[in-house]
Amino acid sequence: MYTIKWNGDSVSMLDQRLIPAEETYNTYTSYLDVAASITDMVIRGAPAIGIAAAMGIALAAKNLKSSALQDFKKNMNDVCEVFARTRPTAVNLFWSINRMKKIIEDSGDISEMRKSLEKEAVTILEDDIRINRAIGKNGSSYIADGDVVMTHCNAGALATGGYGTALGVIRAAVEEGKKISVFACETRPYLQGARITSWELMMDNIPVTLITDNMSGHFMKSGMIKKIIVGADRVAANGDTANKIGTYTHSVLAREHRIPFYIAAPLSTLDMNTKTGDEIVIEERSIDEVAYIQGVQIAPEGIAIRNPAFDVTPAGNITAIITEKGVIENPVNGGIAKIFGS
Ligand code: MRU
């Protein structure tokens, strides 16, 4: 099983919309199809959509007809704009596009640019897997033998190049021999927890119990849940963190019940250009994701519906942010800048 793969002249990815019913891989030869795969959630998760964009840009460079260098660069910058419009919240997407843009800008000829873009896209994928293993290693000491750990959405292998961030920490703890079990929140409305996290953990034989999102307070109050660990789509310079809708609610309940609340994320998710969570653009998705479940209408026709895909957890509710470079404990105290050495 893999999330996404570069084939030299095409990009293959697992169609995550079909999990767990079907394990189908789609192969795209057009960059526009790769961009649509991000918007349409064939691939999702902050690091994974960054990788998909990089590969889509490399693919476009291969397929675009050669022209004068400056024209080619202009066309490639237009391609980058297409990817920048796919989803607004996860900063990894823009981090990855900016890496590709730098190569476009610096290239002295078209064939060199094509090769460098391809190499960069593959490097972003390979680095991501290494980074996730480092996050896992840095975070596993926060998980004790016997813990029940709750997670929300999917910050696993399928949200990344492989291994996962939040699930990477859980995997690393299990690899160290700790006997832990996971409570996965279903994650309405798109059900990434029910469909993807549950599936991933079951494939790895990690004990997992599925709950609906509104059960988390009940299980926190009962003392069952010992730790909470989730991923992130964008961490602002002050530590405020955007993640899947519902994360904020869990964080408030965690604070009430004094349960440690961890974010696991690569440095590419930390955005020093966004000062606080108030500046983060929250994606609003189709109301049909709320009105229908797997094609079945569950709300009256014409009802007003809102569907923000993410919310922002204030830094004060976060016990620590686990990165590949180290752990930022109590991020409310300016630890984000320190990890970048500024
Ligand atoms: O809408 P999605 O499925 O792309 O949202 C995914 C999340 O919110 C994840 O928690 C986040 O991207 C981190 S993935 C390592």
Side-chain angles (χ1 to χ4, degrees), residues 251-287:
S251 81
V252 173
L253 286 161
R255 198 185 52 199
E256 168 75 13
H257 298 292
R258 297 191 167 73
I259 296 169
F261 188 93
Y262 301 110
I263 302 286
L267 292 182
S268 55
T269 307
L270 276 45
D271 179 13
M272 291 303 287
N273 295 322
T274 298
K275 286 194 190 61
T276 74
D278 294 340
E279 292 175 22
I280 299 175
V281 176
I282 302 293
E283 176 184 13
E284 282 263 350
R285 294 190 58 86
S286 163
I287 60 170

Side-chain angles (χ1 to χ4, degrees), residues 110-126:
I110 292 173
S111 83
E112 171 209 317
M113 188 198 300
R114 287 188 172 122
K115 280 196 204 107
S116 307
L117 288 173
E118 176 172 353
K119 192 159 166 260
E120 188 75 344
V122 172
T123 302
I124 291 174
L125 167 65
E126 288 171 353

Side-chain angles (χ1 to χ4, degrees), residues 40-336:
D40 299 344
M41 307 284 276
V42 174
I43 190 162
R44 28 68 48 202
I49 64 175
I51 297 163
M55 291 188 174
I57 293 165
L59 193 59
K62 287 217 146 193
N63 293 341
L64 271 182
K65 274 212 186 76
S66 297
S67 52
L69 182 64
Q70 287 315 316
D71 291 342
F72 194 83
K73 285 190 178 189
K74 191 198 162 294
N75 291 339
M76 284 306 300
N77 281 321
D78 291 346
V79 167
C80 292
E81 282 315 302
V82 169
F83 282 96
R85 283 194 295 270
T86 51
R87 295 192 74 189
T89 305
V91 72
N92 308 62
L93 177 75
F94 304 95
W95 171 87
S96 190
I97 293 170
N98 284 340
R99 277 178 65 158
M100 302 304 268
K101 271 184 161 171
K102 171 104 182 56
I103 290 172
I104 295 167
E105 198 182 303
D106 292 350
S107 295
D109 77 82
I110 292 173
S111 83
E112 171 209 317
M113 188 198 300
R114 287 188 172 122
K115 280 196 204 107
S116 307
L117 288 173
E118 176 172 353
K119 192 159 166 260
E120 188 75 344
V122 172
T123 302
I124 291 174
L125 167 65
E126 288 171 353
D127 284 354
D128 187 61
I129 301 169
R130 263 194 296 277
I131 286 167
N132 292 336
R133 289 203 172 264
I135 291 173
K137 220 165 166 209
N138 290 341
S140 60
S141 57
Y142 291 82
I143 310 285
D145 193 24
D147 272 353
V148 175
V149 183
M150 192 183 93
T151 191
H152 187 70
C153 193
N154 172 262
L158 290 181
T160 62
Y163 201 68
T165 55
L167 295 195
V169 172
I170 287 166
R171 286 194 165 98
V174 170
E175 282 163 21
E176 286 170 11
K178 291 174 189 162
K179 298 242 173 312
I180 59 175
S181 76
V182 178
F183 266 43
C185 294
E186 72 169 345
T187 319
R188 274 280 286 149
Y190 211 74
L191 307 177
Q192 290 93 330
R195 298 187 301 104
I196 304 173
T197 296
S198 311
W199 182 77
E200 259 196 38
L201 292 173
M202 285 179 81
M203 293 233 303
D204 273 4
N205 289 318
I206 298 173
V208 54
T209 302
L210 176 64
I211 58 171
T212 64
D213 304 326
N214 51 358
M215 294 173 188
S216 72
H218 169 74
F219 285 112
M220 286 190 223
K221 186 160 169 275
S222 75
M224 169 87 83
I225 291 161
K226 302 297 182 207
K227 314 273 159 64
I228 298 170
I229 183 158
V230 297
D233 288 85
R234 191 185 292 244
V235 180
N238 73 340
D240 291 350
T241 296
N243 190 50
K244 180 52 55 192
I245 190 78
T247 304
Y248 166 61
T249 317
H250 297 316
S251 81
V252 173
L253 286 161
R255 198 185 52 199
E256 168 75 13
H257 298 292
R258 297 191 167 73
I259 296 169
F261 188 93
Y262 301 110
I263 302 286
L267 292 182
S268 55
T269 307
L270 276 45
D271 179 13
M272 291 303 287
N273 295 322
T274 298
K275 286 194 190 61
T276 74
D278 294 340
E279 292 175 22
I280 299 175
V281 176
I282 302 293
E283 176 184 13
E284 282 263 350
R285 294 190 58 86
S286 163
I287 60 170
D288 287 352
E289 290 179 1
V290 175
Y292 293 80
I293 295 183
Q294 308 279 291
V296 177
Q297 189 173 347
I298 57 148
E301 199 67 44
I303 180 78
I305 293 175
R306 291 288 307 272
N307 185 17
F310 302 96
D311 58 25
V312 175
T313 297
N317 288 3
I318 299 168
T319 310
I321 300 175
I322 302 159
T323 77
E324 69 272 30
K325 204 171 162 194
V327 178
I328 305 163
E329 292 192 353
N330 202 8
V332 86
N333 286 337
I336 310 282

